[in-house]
């Protein structure tokens, strides 16, 4: 079954243009326009997709508002929980098909997208638990006389969710899950590079019995559909994941009605390796902290700080590890590193490869686009390690979003903490050491939303994830996540 999904036509790719979901109906864009989405391993067109615009966003927001004020507002927590559990069961039933769609549409290796099963299902079931765990507080007050004061937690309302392309299935669940748990409604704008999985999940939402208008999905471009959603006066909150430049535009656009905003943005995360680390695990660990998903992960550990006395040995070993990884068509189960998502992303990453060389960094592995045979049709860049990188080089400061490590030597623990923090970003970070006091010192010293010690990129639905500084604000996962979708109302009753 799974092999067929990847070798013959996927059941969702039936040759018909994909429509958008507004108010429980599958409709064309008001303009009638469509755009094409492609397989980045081969350049082949997968589907034409309805290209939403401001008018479609208006229709979707109006539907989301009606649903929010209508029967959905009467749904009890147990009913919302039941819907989330039903959606989880459907995602489980169709998981292979969804993993294949992610692989086809954005190029993550099929081994990787299949491995996201536990996480995707765990997220939905975690939010189902959250639906019945929304608590206000009874608060003692000091007013003279007799007053009771307590808080209610209420859904913020209509949420505009704007997601990137690097992990469409889990990104979709990360936005829809907390909205359903809290009783919000959503207008989701998928990334133009990878709109297919969000549309398929929207079908499953309908099948799960989620009422019309509660989940709407409007594909389209960022500057049109995305911007219209971010500035819409009847959207109460925008939940955004993407680049910091777009994040800044979202904040500006939100000012019109001062909507709530949560932002999960980019990073240039430090990954610090001490000489006392277990190098057998640190080598692949530091490698996969960047090579996984071809480096297209916002918390990738791209600034690899290595203690000077093992710098040459360690960087050479990470480079050799990178060379053992199989780069190729993302549909091949043996593939470990797939293509970059698009021609635009390829230009960006190869541009940085050239900049790195011009700046005097030394490529120990990779460093050039792969164009042999069938690879010429796709957007393949091999795992690349740059040595002799200095903090002030652009490849050490700017987010590349490709499989590119910038390896930098350090000598002293205080120095590496200071240099790790010398960035506008603060999303992820890693530490490799056997020394518990060093680990603890870095865990406290690094200004980032996650610190991974002797591991990298560990994620769980119950553990919050998000940024410091220009990596954004707000948390996804964990009990903090649903709070982002709730308002606090204080109620006073004079009882005397
Ligand atoms: P990336 O560089 O990873 O594509 P972006 O921040 O450009 O990151 O894109 C992330 C999401 O933001 C996508 O869904 C994209 O369409 C959307 N987007 C891009 N520009 C804007 C904008 N001006 N307003 C709202 N959304 C936008």
């Amino acid at each position: 079954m799974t092999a067929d999904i990847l070798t013959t036509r996927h059941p969702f790719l039936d040759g018909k243009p994909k429509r958008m979901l507004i108010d429980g109906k599958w409709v064309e864009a008001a303009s009638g326009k469509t755009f094409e989405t492609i397989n980045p391993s081969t350049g082949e067109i997968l589907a034409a997709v309805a290209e939403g615009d401001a008018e479609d966003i208006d229709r979707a927001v109006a539907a989301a508002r009606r649903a929010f004020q209508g029967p959905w507002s009467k749904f009890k927590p147990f009913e919302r929980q039941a819907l989330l559990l039903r959606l989880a069961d459907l995602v489980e039933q169709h998981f292979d098909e969804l993993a294949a769609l992610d692989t086809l549409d954005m190029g993550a290796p099929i081994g990787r997208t299949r491995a996201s099963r536990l996480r995707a299902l765990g997220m939905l079931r975690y939010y189902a638990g959250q639906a019945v765990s929304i608590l206000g507080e009874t608060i003692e007050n000091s007013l003279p006389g007799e007053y009771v004061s307590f808080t209610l937690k209420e859904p913020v309302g209509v949420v505009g969710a704007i997601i990137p392309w690097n992990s469409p299935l889990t990104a979709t669940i990360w936005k829809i899950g907390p909205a359903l748990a809290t009783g919000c409604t959503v207008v989701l704008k998928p990334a133009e590079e990878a709109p297919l999985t969000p549309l398929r999940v929207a079908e499953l939402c309908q099948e799960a019995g989620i009422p019309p208008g509660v989940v709407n999905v409007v594909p389209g471009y960022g500057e049109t559909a995305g911007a219209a959603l971010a500035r819409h006066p009847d959207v109460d909150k925008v939940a955004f994941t993407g680049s910091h430049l777009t994040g800044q535009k979202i904040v500006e656009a939100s000012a019109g009605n001062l909507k709530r905003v949560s932002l999960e943005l980019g990073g240039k995360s430090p990954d610090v390796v001490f000489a006392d680390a277990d190098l057998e695990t640190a080598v692949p660990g530091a490698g996969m902290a960047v090579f996984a998903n071809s480096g297209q992960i916002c918390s990738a550990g791209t600034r690899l700080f290595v203690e000077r006395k093992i710098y040459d040995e360690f960087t050479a070993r990470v480079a050799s590890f990178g060379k053992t990884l199989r780069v190729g068509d993302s549909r091949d189960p043996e593939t470990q590193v797939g293509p970059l998502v698009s021609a635009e992303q390829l230009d960006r990453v190869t541009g940085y490869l050239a900049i790195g060389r011009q700046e005097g960094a030394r490529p120990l592995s990779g460093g050039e686009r792969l164009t042999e045979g069938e690879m010429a049709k796709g957007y393949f860049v091999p795992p690349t390690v740059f040595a002799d990188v200095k903090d002030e080089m652009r490849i050490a400061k700017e987010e590349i979003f490709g499989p590119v490590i910038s390896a930098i030597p350090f000598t002293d623990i205080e120095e590496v903490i200071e240099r790790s923090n010398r960035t506008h970003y603060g999303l992820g970070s890693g530490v490799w050491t056997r020394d518990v006091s060093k680990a603890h010192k870095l865990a406290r010293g690094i200004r980032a939303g996650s610190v991974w010690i002797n591991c990298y990129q560990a994620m769980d639905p119950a553990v919050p994830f998000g940024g410091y500084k220009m990596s954004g604000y707000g948390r996804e996962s964990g009990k903090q996540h649903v709070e982002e979708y709730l308002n606090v109302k204080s109620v006073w009753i004079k009882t005397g």
Side-chain angles (χ1 to χ4, degrees):
M1 166 75 172
T2 309
D4 287 349
I5 286 175
L6 291 163
T7 54
T8 62
R9 289 192 75 76
H10 188 286
F12 191 61
L13 304 176
D14 52 9
K16 295 187 197 137
K18 295 289 147 200
R19 297 177 167 200
M20 54 182 84
L21 181 65
I22 297 178
D23 208 7
K25 294 179 202 70
W26 290 94
V27 295
E28 288 174 9
S31 66
K33 282 202 259 180
T34 58
F35 65 100
E36 284 166 347
T37 185
I38 59 145
N39 176 350
S41 289
T42 60
E44 165 197 25
I45 295 166
L46 295 168
V49 178
E51 185 190 321
D53 207 333
E55 200 177 335
D56 306 289
I57 292 290
D58 277 346
R59 288 194 288 166
V61 171
R65 177 60 60 191
R66 279 194 302 278
F68 181 69
Q69 286 164 348
W72 180 238
S73 65
K74 308 275 182 321
F75 270 60
K76 300 287 182 195
F78 276 148
E79 294 171 308
R80 297 200 306 271
Q81 180 186 48
L83 284 176
L84 274 159
L85 290 173
R86 220 174 294 149
L87 180 61
D89 289 346
L90 285 167
V91 168
E92 184 163 35
Q93 203 179 315
H94 295 278
F95 188 79
D96 285 347
E97 189 200 312
L98 292 164
L101 263 191
D102 265 11
T103 286
L104 290 168
D105 210 11
M106 62 68 61
I110 187 67
R112 176 180 169 82
T113 55
R114 281 186 195 145
S116 69
R117 180 187 198 99
L118 185 66
R119 182 163 140 70
L121 298 173
M123 286 161 86
L124 282 166
R125 291 178 177 139
Y126 180 80
Y127 294 120
Q130 295 289 297
V132 295
S133 314
I134 295 167
L135 307 173
E137 290 174 311
T138 307
I139 305 165
E140 290 298 315
N141 64 74
S142 303
L143 290 191
E146 289 173 33
Y147 290 86
V148 173
S149 44
F150 62 92
T151 57
L152 296 174
K153 294 280 178 75
E154 297 183 330
V156 292
V158 175
V159 175
I162 302 176
I163 60 170
W165 42 262
N166 58 347
S167 182
L169 176 60
T170 50
T172 301
I173 294 173
W174 241 358
K175 306 295 187 216
I176 289 180
L180 295 176
T182 53
C184 292
T185 57
V186 198
V187 177
L188 178 87
K189 209 293 283 171
E192 48 272 45
E193 294 86 349
L196 296 177
T197 311
L199 291 169
R200 179 67 184 120
V201 171
E203 287 185 349
L204 297 179
C205 286
Q206 281 191 300
E207 205 177 322
I210 293 167
V214 173
V215 174
N216 306 274
V217 178
V218 180
Y221 290 98
E223 308 74 56
T224 51
L229 191 55
R231 69 168 178 263
H232 202 290
D234 206 26
V235 168
D236 298 295
K237 168 189 165 71
V238 169
F240 173 72
T241 305
S243 64
H244 78 274
L245 293 172
T246 305
Q248 288 172 320
K249 289 187 194 160
I250 303 261
V251 171
E252 280 166 24
S254 73
N257 67 333
L258 292 173
K259 53 176 73 70
R260 292 253 297 261
V261 178
S262 52
L263 304 168
E264 200 264 273
L265 308 176
K268 191 76 189 175
S269 299
D271 194 10
V272 180
V273 184
F274 287 95
D276 66 30
D278 171 7
L279 301 190
E280 291 304 312
T281 54
V283 167
M288 291 314 283
V290 177
F291 304 147
N293 217 27
S294 297
Q296 302 169 123
I297 300 180
C298 38
S299 48
T302 47
R303 280 188 299 147
L304 180 62
F305 287 102
V306 185
E307 195 167 346
R308 196 175 291 278
K309 54 188 164 202
I310 59 159
Y311 181 80
D312 288 336
E313 177 202 345
F314 192 80
T315 50
R317 283 177 68 177
V318 176
S320 304
F321 167 77
K323 287 182 196 161
T324 66
L325 297 175
R326 187 144 155 189
V327 183
D329 190 317
S330 54
R331 295 170 297 179
D332 182 343
E334 302 287 310
T335 291
Q336 291 163 295
V337 177
L340 298 171
V341 71
S342 61
E344 193 186 342
Q345 195 57 24
L346 177 71
D347 282 349
R348 176 190 169 89
V349 174
T350 50
Y352 275 108
L353 297 178
I355 290 169
R357 279 191 298 270
Q358 281 156 22
E359 289 180 313
R362 185 164 50 94
L364 299 180
S365 60
E368 302 277 355
R369 177 187 178 186
L370 298 174
T371 51
E372 261 172 54
E374 291 290 298
M375 293 229 208
K377 294 189 199 148
Y379 313 126
F380 294 94
V381 170
T384 297
V385 176
F386 273 119
D388 302 341
V389 177
K390 308 237 166 12
D391 294 337
E392 52 287 355
M393 291 181 179
R394 286 183 63 191
I395 58 162
K397 292 201 298 201
E398 297 172 17
E399 187 174 41
I400 299 175
F401 231 59
V404 184
I405 289 178
S406 300
I408 312 169
F410 75 91
T411 347
D412 169 63
I413 186 164
E414 299 299 340
E415 167 214 331
V416 79
I417 292 174
E418 189 275 318
R419 290 169 67 198
S420 293
N421 289 334
R422 221 187 282 163
T423 167
H424 294 304
Y425 293 115
L427 191 56
S429 60
V431 184
W432 302 86
T433 179
R434 287 190 170 99
D435 181 337
V436 118
S437 61
K438 275 185 200 153
H440 202 66
K441 200 161 186 180
L442 265 82
R444 297 262 181 186
I446 293 179
R447 295 197 65 215
S450 296
V451 183
W452 288 290
I453 297 169
N454 294 328
C455 60
Y456 206 91
Q457 211 69 63
M459 300 277 263
D460 187 273
V463 180
F465 177 81
Y468 277 37
K469 303 194 272 182
M470 286 183 75
S471 293
Y473 40 78
R475 291 291 176 270
E476 294 190 297
S477 294
K479 59 185 188 327
Q480 291 82 355
H481 196 177
V482 289
E483 296 295 333
E484 309 268 348
Y485 288 68
L486 292 168
N487 273 325
V488 181
K489 179 184 277 176
S490 297
V491 182
W492 290 87
I493 306 177
K494 187 164 186 201
T495 54

